[in-house]
Amino acid sequence: AWQEGVYEFVDKVLHSWPKKGRHAYCCMLSNPQNLDIGSLISSPSMSPFAHALRASDYFVVVPNCHCSIYSRIWCTYEAFLAYSESKVIVTASAPIYGNGRWLHYITTTVIVVTAVSAAIAAQFALLEQGCYYFCDEARIVENVTLALGVACNIFTAFIQPSLTYRVLAYTSAVFSSIHLGSSIRAAVTMCARNGLIGNFSSQRWAQTFFGIGICIGAVTLET
């Protein structure tokens, strides 16, 4: 819409570039904007943009922080044409800087919370007839934290990278780590007493690996 800065434009395009994309057509760079281009766009459906769009697989919308790009009728037509041609439409977003620092924070949180959860779990565990299990209250906490961890992971699939996205990723890591710590404690204890298989040892190991998967998912959300 002619109001975005070039740095904002480049950041968003590079951050949201389709994985299979190889080339890009951009009107503001492709058309001789300082000349009379009336003949090029007199028939919008036969304009250079329209031809380029028909040969493409993706249509990347690059919004800016100053105004809606759809306040310009040409941008609206471009979106209409992309939809009519059944192109994959991607709305570009800016990168979140400082990912390296946050990746360090979330990884450290997973390790610390898992260790603390494993230590606390021992205080709420019962051993009866060779089976290691938690009291009802602890089991409820274990199941609820797992459900919340999975839910936060799923919700991130429906939102763009933002502060909310980061909070959900961090929350998923915390809840998943609580579940993981208790599962590791139970699995290791039962394995030591009853072997790798039998007396629910296999079930506990399955829960442990599932918890590890959720934690890894939460961490990779920050990469």
Side-chain angles (χ1 to χ4, degrees):
W2 297 110
Q3 291 194 40
E4 64 191 337
V6 66
Y7 294 115
E8 178 186 10
F9 175 79
V10 171
D11 280 350
K12 289 181 176 179
V13 169
L14 293 180
H15 180 64
S16 306
W17 187 270
K19 291 183 178 180
K20 296 183 179 180
R22 293 295 179 268
H23 311 282
Y25 177 92
C26 180
C27 289
M28 71 176 183
L29 300 176
S30 303
N31 294 336
Q33 302 291 348
N34 59 328
L35 300 179
D36 182 4
I37 60 173
S39 61
L40 291 177
I41 61 175
S42 58
S43 175
S45 63
M46 299 301 294
S47 65
F49 166 80
H51 286 296
L53 178 65
R54 293 189 182 98
S56 68
D57 296 316
Y58 301 92
F59 175 71
V60 181
V61 181
V62 188
N64 65 78
C65 61
H66 297 289
C67 71
S68 169
I69 59 175
Y70 298 118
S71 60
R72 186 167 180 259
I73 190 63
W74 185 260
C75 295
T76 303
Y77 175 74
E78 291 174 343
F80 164 76
L81 191 60
Y83 180 80
S84 300
E85 294 288 337
S86 300
K87 302 301 179 180
V88 177
I89 300 176
V90 178
T91 301
S93 60
I96 301 176
Y97 294 102
N99 273 357
R101 184 179 68 246
W102 275 94
L103 180 60
H104 171 74
Y105 289 160
I106 199 169
T107 303
T108 302
T109 298
V110 167
I111 295 173
V112 172
V113 174
T114 299
V116 172
S117 175
I120 295 176
Q123 309 304 316
F124 295 90
L126 304 172
L127 185 63
E128 185 175 299
Q129 295 181 350
C131 292
Y132 186 91
Y133 61 94
F134 296 114
C135 61
D136 292 339
E137 294 80 1
R139 190 158 52 246
I140 291 174
V141 171
E142 184 185 28
N143 293 333
V144 169
T145 53
L146 175 62
L148 291 174
V150 172
C152 290
N153 245 327
I154 293 174
F155 287 152
T156 57
F158 299 97
I159 61 176
Q160 292 289 334
S162 59
L163 180 59
T164 302
Y165 179 96
R166 175 156 286 168
V167 169
L168 284 174
Y170 204 88
T171 303
S172 174
V174 172
F175 284 134
S176 302
S177 299
I178 294 173
H179 170 80
L180 177 60
S182 61
S183 293
I184 290 177
R185 180 76 186 194
V188 171
T189 301
M190 291 184 66
C191 183
R193 291 178 177 273
N194 307 302
L196 188 61
I197 301 176
N199 287 337
F200 300 104
S201 292
S202 301
Q203 177 183 343
R204 274 299 178 181
W205 279 117
Q207 291 176 345
T208 298
F209 287 120
F210 184 73
I212 291 174
I214 299 301
C215 287
I216 291 176
V219 171
T220 54
L221 289 173
E222 285 296 322
T223 59

